[in-house]
Amino acid sequence: MKIGILGTGMVGNAIGTKLVQMGHQVTMGSRTAGSDAGKEWQKSTGGKGQIGTFADAAGFGEIIFDCTNGANSITALRQAGAANLRGRILIQVSNPLDFSKGMPPSLTVCNTDSLGEQIQREFPDTRVVKALNTMNCRVMVEPSLVPGDHQVIMCGNDAAAKAEVTKHLGAWFGWKPGNVIDLGDITGCRGMEMLLPLWMRLYGMYGDPTFNFQVVRGG
Ligand SMILES: NC(=O)c1ccc[n+]([C@@H]2O[C@H](COP(=O)([O-])OP(=O)(O)OC[C@H]3O[C@@H](n4cnc5c(N)ncnc54)[C@H](OP(=O)(O)O)[C@@H]3O)[C@@H](O)[C@H]2O)c1
């Protein structure tokens, strides 16, 4: 498959590398074509990965990952271009973390709105599916790093898009369908993003990001 990855940070790297290893065609996008981070990733894939601008990556992908800095995701997606995002599934991984006042970060948006909703409103013709944002990127692409059953949470307005993402999460990364929790429409992003302060606190406590949330039901 042709996959566009917006973002050259550790998340874009983890997802891009895994997909290239699986034989997919991946273009990783940056603010500028040929960024140092992009070139480094391309080199790490032995030249198999392709790099370009956010617009190049979005235009390339049959499916697109948003792995951009959350405080700047809307800007990055505008640079990717509404026309390139139209009709596409956007797996929206970024979190609205605000590090401007140091640690711990706060959220740029919360309670009655979320980054996922802001993006869906700004790009109404894009099939936004929020997923994978509640865990470290190594766990995203290799859930077996955490023993036992634990979950990937998703939400979005488009049921067919969510079904397709569920299929890909299984085929690409090994997420069992039974461990995918669909929270419903895009407003589910509020809770998914507001988990981040808890995630950050747990990370500080454990000193290692290799953990995940497990929902255990009694009824
Ligand atoms: N780290 C994790 O394991 C993890 C887990 C779950 C969710 N997340 C979320 O995933 C996202 C990516 O995290 P990350 O650590 O991989 O990368 P990051 O450093 O947060 O973001 C890197 C990307 O954001 C772009 N960017 C930065 N400032 C920008 C601006 N002003 N305008 C447009 N684009 C800008 C960069 O563009 P250039 O390429 O041009 O520099 C780069 O591609 C974040 O939202 C994070 O909260 C991270």
Side-chain angles (χ1 to χ4, degrees):
M1 235 178 133
K2 288 174 150 182
I3 299 156
I5 296 191
L6 310 179
T8 56
M10 58 194 287
V11 179
N13 267 261
I15 292 174
T17 299
K18 181 78 175 187
L19 293 172
V20 165
Q21 283 168 353
M22 296 194 70
H24 295 289
Q25 295 179 60
V26 177
T27 297
M28 178 182 279
S30 252
R31 280 169 284 188
T32 49
S35 69
D36 288 347
K39 280 190 201 149
E40 207 158 299
W41 173 74
Q42 188 174 42
K43 198 169 148 206
S44 76
T45 66
K48 289 186 188 145
Q50 299 164 61
I51 56 172
T53 61
F54 287 135
D56 293 332
F60 177 83
E62 297 165 75
I63 189 160
I64 300 160
F65 282 87
D66 167 23
C67 309
T68 57
N69 175 268
N72 296 294
S73 290
I74 304 250
T75 307
L77 289 165
R78 283 181 188 148
Q79 288 167 11
N84 289 324
L85 296 168
R86 186 165 297 130
R88 295 279 193 273
I89 292 176
L90 180 73
I91 304 182
Q92 209 274 298
V93 187
S94 71
N95 281 314
L97 296 178
D98 178 2
F99 290 94
S100 64
K101 294 184 184 66
M103 291 292 278
S106 57
L107 298 170
T108 61
V109 55
C110 64
N111 291 331
T112 54
D113 200 2
S114 60
L115 178 59
E117 288 167 270
Q118 290 177 336
I119 290 172
Q120 185 63 88
R121 279 199 302 275
E122 173 100 16
F123 302 95
D125 301 326
T126 300
R127 306 161 77 196
V128 179
V129 177
K130 183 115 196 164
L132 296 167
N133 70 306
T134 55
M135 68 194 77
N136 174 257
C137 55
R138 287 181 62 230
V139 179
M140 292 178 195
V141 300
E142 201 174 341
S144 63
L145 288 175
V146 177
D149 278 323
H150 51 94
Q151 285 93 17
V152 55
I153 307 171
M154 68 156 63
C155 73
N157 292 341
D158 186 322
K162 286 187 288 188
E164 198 174 324
V165 171
T166 302
K167 198 181 72 185
H168 293 317
L169 290 176
W172 294 342
F173 307 140
W175 287 98
K176 297 180 216 159
N179 283 335
V180 180
I181 298 178
D182 178 357
L183 287 184
D185 69 38
I186 196 75
T187 60
C189 291
R190 297 173 195 182
M192 291 171 69
E193 294 172 7
M194 286 192 287
L195 264 181
L196 261 295
L198 174 60
W199 190 95
M200 297 293 301
R201 185 87 185 195
L202 289 167
Y203 178 34
M205 201 178 83
Y206 295 138
D208 185 290
T210 319
F211 62 87
N212 194 15
F213 295 110
Q214 180 185 22
V215 178
V216 182
R217 299 183 63 203

